[in-house]
Amino acid sequence: MSIMSIMSKEKSCPDATLTVEGKSYSLPVVCGTENDRAIDISTLLQQTGYTTLDPGYKNTASCTSDITFLDGKEGILSYRGYAIEELAEKCVFIEVAYLLIHGHLPNPTEYEHFRGLLNQFSLIHEDMIHFFDHFPPNSPPMTMLSVMVNSLSTYYPEMSDDPLKRLDLTAARLISKIRTIAAFSYKKSMGHPLVYPSPDRSYCANFLNMMFDKPVQPYMVHPEAVAALNKLLILHADHEQNCSTSTVRLVGSAGVNLYASISAGINALWGPLHGGANEAVVTMLETIHRDGDNFKKYIDMAKDKSNSFKLSGFGHRVYKTFDPRGKIIKEACDDLLEVLNVSDPLLDIARRLEEIALNDQYFVERNLFPNVDFYSGIIYRALGIPTNMFTVMFALGRLPGWIAQWKEQQEDPDGKIGRPRQVYIGEPSRPFVPMSER
Ligand code: SDX
C-alpha cells in the first residue's frame, strides 16, 4: 500500500517540522488506522542531505501494511482487523492462513477450495525425499527446512518469470508442502518409515499423524491435540515487521521468488533471539531443573551485565506488557496437559520463574514479560514434538504471514528494493601503501 494512498485517507495529521542547521523542513505525518503515526522521511536526504540513524530499527517503520496490528503498550494483536483472541478461539489455522493472504475470512466455497488445494499439493516430489539421505545424521531440522523450501523453486520454476502469477496456488503449495517436509524430516531423523498425508484429515490432524503414526503402533489423533496445534499455529501466523518477516520482505524486494524469500525468513527465524527462543526456553528450564531449581542463580545471571545470559522467552521489542499470545498459550498449557493426562515439571518451573521475574525490579522496570516463546514449548512437548523441531513449528505457523507480507510488498506500486544507508566512521581518505613499505 503506498504512503500516498494512506495519506489520501480522511484522517488528517499535521505535518512535522524539522529544523536542521537553522533551516526548517516540513515532513508529512502518516496516520495509521489505530492512530499509529509516523513521520514520512522519504524525502529527508534529498531535502536536507541528512539520513537518519536507528540501529535495530527500534524507531523506524519500514512500510505501511494492512495485514497485522500490534499495540505494544496495551498488548493488542489483530490480523486484518480481527482480534487474535477471537481467531485463536473460533478458527482453524487454514482459515486464518486464508485471511492473512487474501484479506478476508473464507466463505464455505473459498474454504473448501483452499482445503482442496492443500490436499492436492500435500506431497513433495519423490526425488526430494532423497535430499534427506544426504544431510549428515542429526542435521538441525531448521537447516533441512530452509534447504528443502528453497529447493521447491527448482520444481516449480514458473514463479521465476512472474512472482505474483497464480500466487494462490503457490501459497497453498508452500503451506501444504512445508508440513510434509517437516514431518518427513522427523521420520527420517528417527529412521522410521515415512507416513504420507491423507486426504481425509485436517491440516493439523494430518501433521500429527504424519509425525507419530507407525505401522506397528497406529497413532490416535486426539481432538484436543489438534485443537491445541491449531491454536499455536494461529498465534504464530503473523506479527507485523519482525526480524524474519522483514527478511522475507527485503529479499523479496530484490525480485527473488517466494520460495527463496521464505527460505531466507526461515533462516532469520532460527536465531535464539527470535523464533529459536522457544527451543532455548526449554533448554534453559531443563538446565535450571538439573541445577536443583536454583532460580535465583539464573535470574541473577540474566541481570548481570557482564554475563551474556538472557532469560529466554522474556522480553520483546514491541510488547512492553504481556504478549497476548503468551497469555493464551499459558492457559492452553493447563487444558492440554490435563486432557492428555501429562504432567511436565518444566511447566511448574516456568510458572515459578515467571512469578519471580515479574516481582523483580530489574524485569519490572524494563517491562520484560513472558513472550510467545515462553510457554509454547510446553505444549509442543505434550504433543510429543522433539525440542529441536520447536522452531520448525514456529515456521509452519508463520508461513502464511510471511506469504501475505511478501505479496503486499510485491504488489506495492511504490515498492522499491530495500537498501538502508549508514554513517561511515572508518578511516579518512589515505594514500595507498605498497607491500614493500608495510
Ligand atoms: C520473538 O519481533 C517480533 O515480533 C518477534 C516475535 C514474532 O512473533 O515474530 O514476537 C517472536 O522473536 C519473540 C522474542 C523471543 N526472544 C527471546 O525470548 C530472547 C530473550 N529476549 C531478549 O533477547 C530481548 O528481549 C529481545 C531480543 C526479544 C528484544 O530485545 P530488544 O528489544 O533489543 O531489547 P534490549 O535487548 O535492548 O533490552 C532492553 C533491556 C536491556 O537491558 P539494559 O541495557 O536496559 O540494562 O532489557 C534487557 C536488556 O539487557 N533484556 C533482558 C532480556 N530482554 C531484554 N535481560 C534479561 N533477559 C532478557 N530476556
Side-chain angles (χ1 to χ4, degrees):
M1 181 181 294
S2 74
I3 289 182
M4 294 316 291
S5 63
I6 286 272
M7 293 165 61
S8 65
K9 287 197 170 158
E10 293 318 309
K11 272 187 188 171
S12 68
C13 285
D15 285 0
T17 304
L18 176 69
T19 303
V20 177
E21 297 173 13
K23 191 175 172 202
S24 291
Y25 301 87
S26 177
L27 295 169
V29 171
V30 177
C31 286
T33 312
E34 301 292 345
N35 260 333
D36 37 338
R37 296 168 184 228
I39 298 170
D40 172 4
I41 57 168
S42 46
T43 60
L44 183 72
L45 180 57
Q46 177 203 340
Q47 287 192 60
T48 69
Y50 281 67
T51 59
T52 56
L53 179 62
D54 186 20
Y57 311 116
K58 284 192 168 190
N59 306 282
T60 299
S62 60
C63 62
T64 59
S65 175
D66 55 18
I67 300 171
T68 291
F69 174 70
L70 301 190
D71 180 321
K73 275 206 282 305
E74 304 301 325
I76 293 170
L77 170 61
S78 66
Y79 299 155
R80 301 284 189 182
Y82 296 100
I84 192 66
E85 292 79 6
E86 281 210 278
L87 296 173
E89 198 50 45
K90 299 173 180 170
C91 287
V92 290
F93 171 59
I94 60 170
E95 256 182 293
V96 173
Y98 188 99
L99 166 69
L100 285 166
I101 294 166
H102 298 284
H104 63 275
L105 285 165
N107 62 35
T109 309
E110 291 163 330
Y111 180 68
E112 285 313 314
H113 177 64
F114 190 47
R115 282 192 60 203
L117 289 177
L118 291 171
N119 175 56
Q120 183 186 339
F121 295 139
S122 54
L123 296 173
I124 59 174
H125 194 293
E126 285 291 307
D127 289 354
M128 285 194 82
I129 295 173
H130 300 300
F131 286 31
F132 291 114
D133 300 332
H134 301 288
F135 288 109
N138 304 320
S139 290
M142 283 296 273
T143 305
M144 293 192 273
L145 191 69
S146 79
V147 166
M148 298 294 274
V149 165
N150 201 16
S151 306
L152 285 174
S153 60
T154 59
Y155 289 88
Y156 306 99
E158 70 278 3
M159 273 213 85
S160 311
D161 48 19
D162 174 358
L164 288 170
K165 185 167 78 179
R166 293 313 319 260
L167 190 75
D168 56 334
L169 299 184
T170 308
R173 183 180 288 130
L174 255 168
I175 291 169
S176 196
K177 291 184 189 305
I178 198 170
R179 169 194 51 185
T180 304
I181 291 168
F184 281 9
S185 70
Y186 173 64
K187 283 302 200 188
K188 278 287 184 179
S189 72
M190 299 296 285
H192 293 172
L194 300 181
V195 175
Y196 278 67
S198 59
D200 50 14
R201 282 200 167 87
S202 70
Y203 186 88
C204 288
N206 239 328
F207 173 74
L208 292 170
N209 190 59
M210 291 161 74
M211 284 283 287
F212 304 119
D213 191 44
K214 291 199 270 294
V216 293
Q217 191 184 2
Y219 174 72
M220 161 74 143
V221 181
H222 274 275
E224 297 81 8
V226 173
L229 185 55
N230 267 301
K231 189 169 278 189
L232 275 175
L233 295 180
I234 288 169
L235 292 169
H236 286 83
D238 194 49
H239 214 237
E240 60 138 88
Q241 304 310 316
N242 59 82
C243 177
S244 53
T245 300
S246 298
T247 301
V248 170
R249 277 183 172 254
L250 190 62
V251 170
S253 74
V256 172
N257 69 62
L258 181 58
Y259 301 107
S261 303
I262 296 298
S263 179
I266 292 170
N267 289 310
L269 184 73
W270 197 5
L273 295 185
H274 190 14
N278 57 13
E279 197 175 317
V281 166
V282 167
T283 306
M284 174 184 72
L285 295 174
E286 286 170 335
T287 304
I288 293 173
H289 195 39
R290 272 199 308 275
D291 202 354
D293 295 0
N294 187 349
F295 297 101
K296 185 176 180 324
K297 171 180 169 186
Y298 292 88
I299 291 277
D300 289 345
M301 274 165 58
K303 291 156 62 174
D304 176 0
K305 287 299 160 213
S306 65
N307 193 321
S308 62
F309 175 78
K310 290 230 191 296
L311 224 47
S312 285
F314 259 77
H316 197 276
R317 172 62 57 77
V318 177
Y319 291 123
K320 300 308 171 194
T321 179
F322 270 95
D323 181 329
R325 304 166 295 176
K327 273 164 86 174
I328 297 170
I329 293 172
K330 182 179 175 183
E331 285 155 23
C333 275
D334 271 335
D335 304 345
L336 185 67
L337 268 62
E338 191 187 330
V339 157
L340 296 183
N341 196 21
V342 167
S343 75
D344 187 345
L346 295 191
L347 178 56
D348 303 330
I349 291 175
R351 284 227 170 81
R352 186 85 185 90
L353 192 60
E354 175 189 352
E355 187 192 336
I356 296 171
L358 295 188
N359 286 290
D360 183 299
Q361 204 44 33
Y362 172 91
F363 292 88
V364 172
E365 63 194 20
R366 290 171 177 79
N367 298 309
L368 301 177
F369 290 85
N371 57 45
V372 67
D373 294 308
F374 192 61
Y375 286 103
S376 56
I378 306 289
I379 294 188
Y380 292 138
R381 279 162 58 92
L383 295 177
I385 293 167
T387 307
N388 70 356
M389 278 194 67
F390 286 6
T391 313
V392 167
M393 299 310 294
F394 194 140
L396 258 64
R398 184 52 52 88
L399 179 58
W402 284 333
I403 294 171
Q405 299 271 353
W406 183 89
K407 176 172 176 279
E408 185 175 72
Q409 192 274 335
Q410 296 286 323
E411 289 173 341
D412 182 352
D414 299 328
K416 296 178 178 51
I417 186 169
R419 201 263 184 237
R421 300 301 300 271
Q422 63 163 29
V423 175
Y424 176 69
I425 55 169
E427 291 290 337
S429 173
R430 51 182 172 166
F432 179 74
V433 179
M435 181 69 84
S436 57
E437 295 171 23
R438 291 178 204 162

PDB file of all heavy atoms in Angstrom, residues 27-53:
ATOM      1  N   LEU A  27       7.731  17.915   7.190  1.00  0.00           N
ATOM      2  CA  LEU A  27       7.696  16.490   6.799  1.00  0.00           C
ATOM      3  C   LEU A  27       6.294  15.945   7.048  1.00  0.00           C
ATOM      4  O   LEU A  27       5.742  16.129   8.148  1.00  0.00           O
ATOM      5  CB  LEU A  27       8.720  15.697   7.618  1.00  0.00           C
ATOM      6  CG  LEU A  27      10.194  16.052   7.386  1.00  0.00           C
ATOM      7  CD1 LEU A  27      11.081  15.394   8.438  1.00  0.00           C
ATOM      8  CD2 LEU A  27      10.627  15.643   5.984  1.00  0.00           C
ATOM      9  N   PRO A  28       5.703  15.288   6.065  1.00  0.00           N
ATOM     10  CA  PRO A  28       4.341  14.769   6.242  1.00  0.00           C
ATOM     11  C   PRO A  28       4.308  13.727   7.353  1.00  0.00           C
ATOM     12  O   PRO A  28       5.294  13.046   7.597  1.00  0.00           O
ATOM     13  CB  PRO A  28       3.994  14.133   4.903  1.00  0.00           C
ATOM     14  CG  PRO A  28       5.171  14.263   4.022  1.00  0.00           C
ATOM     15  CD  PRO A  28       6.266  14.933   4.763  1.00  0.00           C
ATOM     16  N   VAL A  29       3.145  13.611   8.019  1.00  0.00           N
ATOM     17  CA  VAL A  29       2.926  12.581   9.049  1.00  0.00           C
ATOM     18  C   VAL A  29       1.907  11.597   8.496  1.00  0.00           C
ATOM     19  O   VAL A  29       0.880  11.985   7.939  1.00  0.00           O
ATOM     20  CB  VAL A  29       2.413  13.219  10.357  1.00  0.00           C
ATOM     21  CG1 VAL A  29       1.973  12.147  11.361  1.00  0.00           C
ATOM     22  CG2 VAL A  29       3.512  14.089  10.969  1.00  0.00           C
ATOM     23  N   VAL A  30       2.236  10.297   8.575  1.00  0.00           N
ATOM     24  CA  VAL A  30       1.318   9.249   8.117  1.00  0.00           C
ATOM     25  C   VAL A  30       0.543   8.752   9.323  1.00  0.00           C
ATOM     26  O   VAL A  30       1.142   8.392  10.344  1.00  0.00           O
ATOM     27  CB  VAL A  30       2.114   8.087   7.473  1.00  0.00           C
ATOM     28  CG1 VAL A  30       1.184   6.958   7.066  1.00  0.00           C
ATOM     29  CG2 VAL A  30       2.912   8.589   6.278  1.00  0.00           C
ATOM     30  N   CYS A  31      -0.778   8.769   9.222  1.00  0.00           N
ATOM     31  CA  CYS A  31      -1.615   8.300  10.341  1.00  0.00           C
ATOM     32  C   CYS A  31      -2.181   6.929  10.014  1.00  0.00           C
ATOM     33  O   CYS A  31      -2.808   6.756   8.973  1.00  0.00           O
ATOM     34  CB  CYS A  31      -2.813   9.223  10.515  1.00  0.00           C
ATOM     35  SG  CYS A  31      -2.326  10.765  11.234  1.00  0.00           S
ATOM     36  N   GLY A  32      -1.938   5.955  10.924  1.00  0.00           N
ATOM     37  CA  GLY A  32      -2.467   4.605  10.716  1.00  0.00           C
ATOM     38  C   GLY A  32      -3.902   4.485  11.205  1.00  0.00           C
ATOM     39  O   GLY A  32      -4.441   5.382  11.852  1.00  0.00           O
ATOM     40  N   THR A  33      -4.512   3.353  10.906  1.00  0.00           N
ATOM     41  CA  THR A  33      -5.908   3.093  11.261  1.00  0.00           C
ATOM     42  C   THR A  33      -6.143   3.241  12.761  1.00  0.00           C
ATOM     43  O   THR A  33      -7.135   3.766  13.202  1.00  0.00           O
ATOM     44  CB  THR A  33      -6.273   1.644  10.849  1.00  0.00           C
ATOM     45  OG1 THR A  33      -5.846   1.421   9.521  1.00  0.00           O
ATOM     46  CG2 THR A  33      -7.752   1.373  11.001  1.00  0.00           C
ATOM     47  N   GLU A  34      -5.180   2.757  13.553  1.00  0.00           N
ATOM     48  CA  GLU A  34      -5.354   2.786  15.016  1.00  0.00           C
ATOM     49  C   GLU A  34      -4.581   3.967  15.605  1.00  0.00           C
ATOM     50  O   GLU A  34      -4.061   3.885  16.714  1.00  0.00           O
ATOM     51  CB  GLU A  34      -4.839   1.473  15.622  1.00  0.00           C
ATOM     52  CG  GLU A  34      -5.519   0.208  15.102  1.00  0.00           C
ATOM     53  CD  GLU A  34      -6.977   0.107  15.535  1.00  0.00           C
ATOM     54  OE1 GLU A  34      -7.376   0.869  16.462  1.00  0.00           O
ATOM     55  OE2 GLU A  34      -7.701  -0.713  14.948  1.00  0.00           O
ATOM     56  N   ASN A  35      -4.439   5.005  14.803  1.00  0.00           N
ATOM     57  CA  ASN A  35      -3.739   6.204  15.270  1.00  0.00           C
ATOM     58  C   ASN A  35      -2.251   6.010  15.494  1.00  0.00           C
ATOM     59  O   ASN A  35      -1.623   6.820  16.167  1.00  0.00           O
ATOM     60  CB  ASN A  35      -4.383   6.760  16.544  1.00  0.00           C
ATOM     61  CG  ASN A  35      -5.290   7.930  16.168  1.00  0.00           C
ATOM     62  OD1 ASN A  35      -5.031   8.590  15.150  1.00  0.00           O
ATOM     63  ND2 ASN A  35      -6.320   8.150  16.939  1.00  0.00           N
ATOM     64  N   ASP A  36      -1.686   4.949  14.971  1.00  0.00           N
ATOM     65  CA  ASP A  36      -0.220   4.838  14.987  1.00  0.00           C
ATOM     66  C   ASP A  36       0.287   5.865  13.972  1.00  0.00           C
ATOM     67  O   ASP A  36      -0.267   5.988  12.892  1.00  0.00           O
ATOM     68  CB  ASP A  36       0.250   3.426  14.666  1.00  0.00           C
ATOM     69  CG  ASP A  36      -0.593   2.707  13.611  1.00  0.00           C
ATOM     70  OD1 ASP A  36      -1.760   3.073  13.386  1.00  0.00           O
ATOM     71  OD2 ASP A  36      -0.060   1.779  13.005  1.00  0.00           O
ATOM     72  N   ARG A  37       1.284   6.616  14.333  1.00  0.00           N
ATOM     73  CA  ARG A  37       1.726   7.714  13.474  1.00  0.00           C
ATOM     74  C   ARG A  37       3.200   7.573  13.137  1.00  0.00           C
ATOM     75  O   ARG A  37       3.975   7.056  13.942  1.00  0.00           O
ATOM     76  CB  ARG A  37       1.524   9.046  14.208  1.00  0.00           C
ATOM     77  CG  ARG A  37       0.083   9.317  14.469  1.00  0.00           C
ATOM     78  CD  ARG A  37      -0.154  10.466  15.422  1.00  0.00           C
ATOM     79  NE  ARG A  37      -1.599  10.536  15.653  1.00  0.00           N
ATOM     80  CZ  ARG A  37      -2.278  11.667  15.579  1.00  0.00           C
ATOM     81  NH1 ARG A  37      -1.652  12.784  15.324  1.00  0.00           N
ATOM     82  NH2 ARG A  37      -3.579  11.683  15.764  1.00  0.00           N
ATOM     83  N   ALA A  38       3.574   8.065  11.953  1.00  0.00           N
ATOM     84  CA  ALA A  38       4.983   8.025  11.554  1.00  0.00           C
ATOM     85  C   ALA A  38       5.297   9.290  10.775  1.00  0.00           C
ATOM     86  O   ALA A  38       4.453   9.795  10.026  1.00  0.00           O
ATOM     87  CB  ALA A  38       5.249   6.795  10.686  1.00  0.00           C
ATOM     88  N   ILE A  39       6.505   9.782  10.967  1.00  0.00           N
ATOM     89  CA  ILE A  39       6.951  10.913  10.165  1.00  0.00           C
ATOM     90  C   ILE A  39       7.523  10.354   8.866  1.00  0.00           C
ATOM     91  O   ILE A  39       8.420   9.514   8.903  1.00  0.00           O
ATOM     92  CB  ILE A  39       8.022  11.723  10.921  1.00  0.00           C
ATOM     93  CG1 ILE A  39       7.422  12.282  12.215  1.00  0.00           C
ATOM     94  CG2 ILE A  39       8.581  12.832  10.032  1.00  0.00           C
ATOM     95  CD1 ILE A  39       8.451  12.888  13.150  1.00  0.00           C
ATOM     96  N   ASP A  40       6.981  10.770   7.737  1.00  0.00           N
ATOM     97  CA  ASP A  40       7.449  10.251   6.453  1.00  0.00           C
ATOM     98  C   ASP A  40       8.754  10.983   6.081  1.00  0.00           C
ATOM     99  O   ASP A  40       8.754  12.170   5.770  1.00  0.00           O
ATOM    100  CB  ASP A  40       6.368  10.531   5.396  1.00  0.00           C
ATOM    101  CG  ASP A  40       6.863  10.201   4.001  1.00  0.00           C
ATOM    102  OD1 ASP A  40       8.004   9.690   3.889  1.00  0.00           O
ATOM    103  OD2 ASP A  40       6.126  10.455   3.027  1.00  0.00           O
ATOM    104  N   ILE A  41       9.865  10.226   6.160  1.00  0.00           N
ATOM    105  CA  ILE A  41      11.180  10.845   5.894  1.00  0.00           C
ATOM    106  C   ILE A  41      11.697  10.455   4.512  1.00  0.00           C
ATOM    107  O   ILE A  41      12.895  10.535   4.232  1.00  0.00           O
ATOM    108  CB  ILE A  41      12.208  10.442   6.975  1.00  0.00           C
ATOM    109  CG1 ILE A  41      12.356   8.923   7.060  1.00  0.00           C
ATOM    110  CG2 ILE A  41      11.864  11.049   8.323  1.00  0.00           C
ATOM    111  CD1 ILE A  41      13.552   8.474   7.887  1.00  0.00           C
ATOM    112  N   SER A  42      10.793  10.033   3.613  1.00  0.00           N
ATOM    113  CA  SER A  42      11.259   9.523   2.309  1.00  0.00           C
ATOM    114  C   SER A  42      11.923  10.623   1.461  1.00  0.00           C
ATOM    115  O   SER A  42      12.634  10.317   0.508  1.00  0.00           O
ATOM    116  CB  SER A  42      10.118   8.872   1.532  1.00  0.00           C
ATOM    117  OG  SER A  42       8.979   9.695   1.564  1.00  0.00           O
ATOM    118  N   THR A  43      11.728  11.914   1.825  1.00  0.00           N
ATOM    119  CA  THR A  43      12.425  12.969   1.054  1.00  0.00           C
ATOM    120  C   THR A  43      13.482  13.662   1.910  1.00  0.00           C
ATOM    121  O   THR A  43      14.058  14.676   1.511  1.00  0.00           O
ATOM    122  CB  THR A  43      11.408  14.052   0.605  1.00  0.00           C
ATOM    123  OG1 THR A  43      10.823  14.618   1.790  1.00  0.00           O
ATOM    124  CG2 THR A  43      10.331  13.460  -0.299  1.00  0.00           C
ATOM    125  N   LEU A  44      13.772  13.123   3.084  1.00  0.00           N
ATOM    126  CA  LEU A  44      14.675  13.800   4.029  1.00  0.00           C
ATOM    127  C   LEU A  44      16.064  14.034   3.426  1.00  0.00           C
ATOM    128  O   LEU A  44      16.595  15.138   3.445  1.00  0.00           O
ATOM    129  CB  LEU A  44      14.798  12.980   5.306  1.00  0.00           C
ATOM    130  CG  LEU A  44      15.662  13.595   6.415  1.00  0.00           C
ATOM    131  CD1 LEU A  44      14.945  14.778   7.052  1.00  0.00           C
ATOM    132  CD2 LEU A  44      16.016  12.549   7.480  1.00  0.00           C
ATOM    133  N   LEU A  45      16.663  12.975   2.868  1.00  0.00           N
ATOM    134  CA  LEU A  45      18.029  13.091   2.341  1.00  0.00           C
ATOM    135  C   LEU A  45      18.069  14.128   1.221  1.00  0.00           C
ATOM    136  O   LEU A  45      18.941  14.995   1.183  1.00  0.00           O
ATOM    137  CB  LEU A  45      18.503  11.729   1.817  1.00  0.00           C
ATOM    138  CG  LEU A  45      19.910  11.641   1.229  1.00  0.00           C
ATOM    139  CD1 LEU A  45      20.963  12.093   2.227  1.00  0.00           C
ATOM    140  CD2 LEU A  45      20.202  10.210   0.736  1.00  0.00           C
ATOM    141  N   GLN A  46      17.080  14.060   0.360  1.00  0.00           N
ATOM    142  CA  GLN A  46      17.016  14.973  -0.794  1.00  0.00           C
ATOM    143  C   GLN A  46      16.835  16.415  -0.308  1.00  0.00           C
ATOM    144  O   GLN A  46      17.489  17.342  -0.785  1.00  0.00           O
ATOM    145  CB  GLN A  46      15.828  14.526  -1.653  1.00  0.00           C
ATOM    146  CG  GLN A  46      15.498  15.339  -2.847  1.00  0.00           C
ATOM    147  CD  GLN A  46      14.000  15.090  -3.223  1.00  0.00           C
ATOM    148  OE1 GLN A  46      13.426  14.086  -2.813  1.00  0.00           O
ATOM    149  NE2 GLN A  46      13.432  16.016  -3.954  1.00  0.00           N
ATOM    150  N   GLN A  47      16.021  16.636   0.740  1.00  0.00           N
ATOM    151  CA  GLN A  47      15.759  17.993   1.248  1.00  0.00           C
ATOM    152  C   GLN A  47      16.903  18.517   2.103  1.00  0.00           C
ATOM    153  O   GLN A  47      17.263  19.682   2.045  1.00  0.00           O
ATOM    154  CB  GLN A  47      14.484  18.012   2.105  1.00  0.00           C
ATOM    155  CG  GLN A  47      13.169  17.891   1.379  1.00  0.00           C
ATOM    156  CD  GLN A  47      12.020  18.235   2.333  1.00  0.00           C
ATOM    157  OE1 GLN A  47      11.961  19.348   2.857  1.00  0.00           O
ATOM    158  NE2 GLN A  47      11.147  17.265   2.578  1.00  0.00           N
ATOM    159  N   THR A  48      17.480  17.630   2.946  1.00  0.00           N
ATOM    160  CA  THR A  48      18.393  18.144   3.991  1.00  0.00           C
ATOM    161  C   THR A  48      19.824  17.650   3.842  1.00  0.00           C
ATOM    162  O   THR A  48      20.722  18.178   4.497  1.00  0.00           O
ATOM    163  CB  THR A  48      17.913  17.672   5.388  1.00  0.00           C
ATOM    164  OG1 THR A  48      18.117  16.247   5.469  1.00  0.00           O
ATOM    165  CG2 THR A  48      16.456  17.998   5.634  1.00  0.00           C
ATOM    166  N   GLY A  49      20.040  16.593   3.035  1.00  0.00           N
ATOM    167  CA  GLY A  49      21.386  15.996   2.965  1.00  0.00           C
ATOM    168  C   GLY A  49      21.665  15.092   4.158  1.00  0.00           C
ATOM    169  O   GLY A  49      22.757  14.534   4.280  1.00  0.00           O
ATOM    170  N   TYR A  50      20.685  14.941   5.040  1.00  0.00           N
ATOM    171  CA  TYR A  50      20.857  14.068   6.220  1.00  0.00           C
ATOM    172  C   TYR A  50      20.110  12.746   6.016  1.00  0.00           C
ATOM    173  O   TYR A  50      19.012  12.735   5.423  1.00  0.00           O
ATOM    174  CB  TYR A  50      20.256  14.737   7.459  1.00  0.00           C
ATOM    175  CG  TYR A  50      21.110  15.817   8.091  1.00  0.00           C
ATOM    176  CD1 TYR A  50      21.371  17.014   7.419  1.00  0.00           C
ATOM    177  CD2 TYR A  50      21.648  15.643   9.367  1.00  0.00           C
ATOM    178  CE1 TYR A  50      22.143  18.008   8.002  1.00  0.00           C
ATOM    179  CE2 TYR A  50      22.408  16.639   9.961  1.00  0.00           C
ATOM    180  CZ  TYR A  50      22.663  17.816   9.280  1.00  0.00           C
ATOM    181  OH  TYR A  50      23.421  18.801   9.854  1.00  0.00           O
ATOM    182  N   THR A  51      20.696  11.648   6.520  1.00  0.00           N
ATOM    183  CA  THR A  51      19.924  10.404   6.668  1.00  0.00           C
ATOM    184  C   THR A  51      19.579  10.305   8.157  1.00  0.00           C
ATOM    185  O   THR A  51      19.947  11.178   8.945  1.00  0.00           O
ATOM    186  CB  THR A  51      20.775   9.171   6.263  1.00  0.00           C
ATOM    187  OG1 THR A  51      21.942   9.121   7.091  1.00  0.00           O
ATOM    188  CG2 THR A  51      21.166   9.234   4.790  1.00  0.00           C
ATOM    189  N   THR A  52      18.865   9.226   8.527  1.00  0.00           N
ATOM    190  CA  THR A  52      18.580   9.003   9.960  1.00  0.00           C
ATOM    191  C   THR A  52      19.377   7.784  10.401  1.00  0.00           C
ATOM    192  O   THR A  52      19.760   6.960   9.572  1.00  0.00           O
ATOM    193  CB  THR A  52      17.076   8.704  10.197  1.00  0.00           C
ATOM    194  OG1 THR A  52      16.733   7.581   9.395  1.00  0.00           O
ATOM    195  CG2 THR A  52      16.215   9.911   9.853  1.00  0.00           C
ATOM    196  N   LEU A  53      19.655   7.689  11.690  1.00  0.00           N
ATOM    197  CA  LEU A  53      20.399   6.536  12.230  1.00  0.00           C
ATOM    198  C   LEU A  53      19.541   5.876  13.292  1.00  0.00           C
ATOM    199  O   LEU A  53      19.083   6.542  14.228  1.00  0.00           O
ATOM    200  CB  LEU A  53      21.727   7.010  12.841  1.00  0.00           C
ATOM    201  CG  LEU A  53      22.615   5.922  13.486  1.00  0.00           C
ATOM    202  CD1 LEU A  53      23.034   4.893  12.445  1.00  0.00           C
ATOM    203  CD2 LEU A  53      23.842   6.563  14.145  1.00  0.00           C
TER     204      LEU A  53
END
